[in-house]
Structures are given as C-alpha cells and as structure tokens.
Amino acid sequence: MKKLIVLTLTMILLLSCDPVSDMEATIENLTSENLTIEFISFDVNSSKILQIAPNEIQLFQESFDIGSTFLEPSLVEYDSVVIKNQLKEVLKVYKPNGANRNIYNIESYWIASEPSKRFFKYEFVINEEDIE
C-alpha cells in the first residue's frame, strides 16, 4: 500500500510540473568577409558584439522558459544592429522600424525550426547582398 501511495504521489508531482522550452538563435555569415556585428543598446551593459568569420555561425542568444510552449529571439533591448568589416567600416545598419530586409523582423527574415518538442532554433543569415 505504501508503494502505491508513493507511486501515486510521484506521478502527480511529475504530471503537475510545467514543461521547459529551450531556444537557440544563431547568426550565419555567408559573405567572404570577417564581420563584426554590434548590438547597440542605451544600456551599455546590454550591448553585445559578435565576431563572425566567413561561412561561420555564431550563437546570438539562447534561453529557456519554464511553462512556456513557444520562445523566439528578442531584440527589444537593442536600438540598432551595426555590421562592420575588418577595417571597422560600417556595411549595414538595422533599426527596429527599418524597411526592407531587417534583422528585427524575426517572422520574415529568420529561419525558424522546431527540431524537437519545445526546442526552437532560429538562424539569421547575412549574405553578400546585405553588405553591398
């Protein structure tokens, strides 16, 4: 009887747990240049810089959430995203309300997939056309 009670309590505990969702967002450089990508924020501590070699992929953001069934990358804390070459020349500037292809528009310009249940992958690809 004790085993049945312990087993029942264990099942109730496991079934009442919130699911965990994971998210991974990467940026891929499909250009022939070494790129520096600066995520600029008014809060200096929130700014972020990625160095990406040609044909390489860098992790931009990863997160997990307990109780959520859907996660996506967030760029809300960044005022702009600036792409520079090795010589520190500005090649592209993305702004939150910019027109055309924009890194801030996750639904249209990020490649999204769900490789497994509650694991979401996103990838933003920078092509030669983006830096010309």
Side-chain angles (χ1 to χ4, degrees), residues 10-111:
T10 303
M11 291 295 290
I12 290 171
L13 180 65
L14 289 175
L15 292 174
S16 67
C17 291
D18 288 331
V20 175
S21 294
D22 292 308
M23 183 274 301
E24 179 181 282
T26 59
I27 298 178
E28 183 174 7
N29 176 7
L30 290 183
T31 72
S32 58
E33 297 198 47
N34 288 311
L35 299 178
T36 299
I37 304 173
E38 298 179 6
F39 296 86
I40 300 170
S41 174
F42 284 121
D43 178 5
V44 178
N45 295 327
S46 295
S47 294
K48 183 177 196 170
I49 297 175
L50 296 178
Q51 304 280 338
I52 308 177
N55 300 306
E56 294 289 324
I57 298 172
Q58 283 286 331
L59 181 66
F60 161 64
Q61 195 175 68
E62 62 184 344
S63 66
F64 72 95
D65 189 16
I66 297 173
S68 177
T69 57
F70 179 74
L71 290 173
E72 70 179 11
S74 174
L75 291 153
V76 294
E77 65 264 24
Y78 304 114
D79 306 317
S80 60
V81 178
V82 178
I83 299 176
K84 297 179 180 178
N85 63 12
Q86 269 179 256
L87 303 173
K88 306 280 188 221
E89 298 170 323
V90 174
L91 303 172
K92 181 77 173 186
V93 177
Y94 293 106
K95 295 283 189 178
N97 296 321
N100 302 325
R101 188 173 189 276
N102 195 330
I103 195 169
Y104 287 91
N105 191 336
I106 293 165
E107 292 176 4
S108 297
Y109 299 110
W110 287 73
I111 300 165

